[in-house]
Amino acid sequence: MNGYDKLLRSRKRIMESITQNIHLFGQPPSAGRQYSMLFFENKPMTLDEMAEELGMSKTSMSTSIRSLAESKLVERVWERGVRKDLYKVNDDWYQNFIDTFSLRWGRSISLHLSAIRRSNRELQELIEDESADEEVVELAKQDIEKLNYMRSYYEWLERLVDAFEDHLIFDLVPKNVEES
């Protein structure tokens, strides 16, 4: 096996790994193939070039690249004299993770805290209702305790997301020195 074959084998292994794990960023395997191909390119590429390289339709490439761009995993770049859109990988993997983590967990936190507030109000009204059954009132009080625990957790999680977004996480878990 010559050096070029070894290089290709090594790249293929990483490309397969990226393709299998891209779902963690909310992306389908086809976007993983596209992302990993761009990762090893030393220049931005057009959709036509990507479609030809991967043997996929331009429509499929367009859908994947839009999704990758929305997730900030790739970015559109401009190059003098090139009329078609060019794309390259966003090289800051730390920020890619932070953006994905913050977006996904931020939505979840907001949804849960809103549900907890609404349920707490309803349960409090139930407890204050003099005509409510005593057993139901006791269950409502127990539920409020559980919801207070949930609220505490989601408020902590909200602070964790803030620590990622403010890069304070790197004070606790520093980047490797050679990657700073």
Side-chain angles (χ1 to χ4, degrees), residues 1-15:
M1 178 178 288
N2 68 32
Y4 190 70
D5 289 338
K6 286 182 181 178
L7 175 73
L8 292 179
R9 186 179 67 200
S10 172
R11 284 183 173 185
K12 184 178 180 187
R13 183 180 305 115
I14 298 302
M15 292 171 86

Side-chain angles (χ1 to χ4, degrees), residues 5-63:
D5 289 338
K6 286 182 181 178
L7 175 73
L8 292 179
R9 186 179 67 200
S10 172
R11 284 183 173 185
K12 184 178 180 187
R13 183 180 305 115
I14 298 302
M15 292 171 86
E16 288 171 357
S17 175
I18 289 171
T19 299
Q20 289 175 8
N21 289 300
I22 198 79
H23 68 90
L24 297 169
F25 289 90
Q27 301 294 324
S30 59
R33 286 188 293 280
Q34 192 173 17
Y35 178 87
S36 61
M37 180 202 50
L38 281 171
F39 176 74
F40 284 112
E41 279 298 317
N42 292 320
K43 63 177 181 52
M45 295 179 76
T46 67
L47 289 175
D48 290 332
E49 292 169 328
M50 289 181 245
E52 184 179 323
E53 180 78 23
L54 291 173
M56 296 171 69
S57 72
K58 189 174 174 184
T59 303
S60 176
M61 292 286 97
S62 180
T63 301

Side-chain angles (χ1 to χ4, degrees), residues 3 6 14 23 25 27-28 35 41 43 48 55 64 70 90 92 123 131 134 147 155 159 167 171 173 178:
K6 286 182 181 178
I14 298 302
H23 68 90
F25 289 90
Q27 301 294 324
Y35 178 87
E41 279 298 317
K43 63 177 181 52
D48 290 332
S64 293
E70 287 171 2
N90 179 343
D92 189 347
L123 292 170
S131 65
E134 205 173 302
L147 293 180
E155 288 171 350
R159 291 193 323 269
H167 290 194
D171 295 339
V173 184
E178 66 270 9

Side-chain angles (χ1 to χ4, degrees), residues 98 101-102 105-106 109-110 113 148-170 172:
I98 288 169
F101 176 84
S102 298
W105 280 101
I109 292 165
S110 178
L113 286 174
N148 286 338
Y149 176 80
M150 285 177 69
R151 183 183 40 77
S152 177
Y153 166 74
Y154 283 107
E155 288 171 350
W156 170 83
L157 198 52
E158 200 168 38
R159 291 193 323 269
L160 178 63
V161 168
D162 289 344
F164 274 96
E165 289 178 339
D166 296 338
H167 290 194
L168 298 174
I169 192 68
F170 298 123
L172 299 171

Side-chain angles (χ1 to χ4, degrees), residues 31-162:
R33 286 188 293 280
Q34 192 173 17
Y35 178 87
S36 61
M37 180 202 50
L38 281 171
F39 176 74
F40 284 112
E41 279 298 317
N42 292 320
K43 63 177 181 52
M45 295 179 76
T46 67
L47 289 175
D48 290 332
E49 292 169 328
M50 289 181 245
E52 184 179 323
E53 180 78 23
L54 291 173
M56 296 171 69
S57 72
K58 189 174 174 184
T59 303
S60 176
M61 292 286 97
S62 180
T63 301
S64 293
I65 206 73
R66 189 176 327 110
S67 181
L68 288 166
E70 287 171 2
S71 297
K72 300 180 183 177
L73 294 171
V74 300
E75 54 192 352
R76 191 172 12 188
V77 294
W78 179 83
E79 211 172 88
R80 176 178 230 126
V82 179
R83 290 184 169 190
K84 295 183 177 185
D85 290 336
L86 292 165
Y87 298 91
K88 73 177 195 95
V89 166
N90 179 343
D91 294 329
D92 189 347
W93 285 29
Y94 296 95
Q95 191 61 49
N96 291 345
F97 173 80
I98 288 169
D99 290 342
T100 301
F101 176 84
S102 298
L103 181 66
R104 288 174 171 236
W105 280 101
R107 281 190 213 140
S108 177
I109 292 165
S110 178
L111 179 71
H112 283 288
L113 286 174
S114 177
I116 290 167
R117 280 191 296 274
R118 284 193 315 266
S119 291
N120 258 334
R121 276 193 304 271
E122 289 172 355
L123 292 170
Q124 195 59 48
E125 289 173 8
L126 181 61
I127 290 170
E128 293 169 3
D129 183 354
E130 293 178 9
S131 65
D133 182 67
E134 205 173 302
E135 184 179 339
V136 172
V137 168
E138 191 53 42
L139 289 171
K141 288 178 181 179
Q142 290 173 15
D143 283 0
I144 285 176
E145 285 181 37
K146 291 176 183 179
L147 293 180
N148 286 338
Y149 176 80
M150 285 177 69
R151 183 183 40 77
S152 177
Y153 166 74
Y154 283 107
E155 288 171 350
W156 170 83
L157 198 52
E158 200 168 38
R159 291 193 323 269
L160 178 63
V161 168
D162 289 344

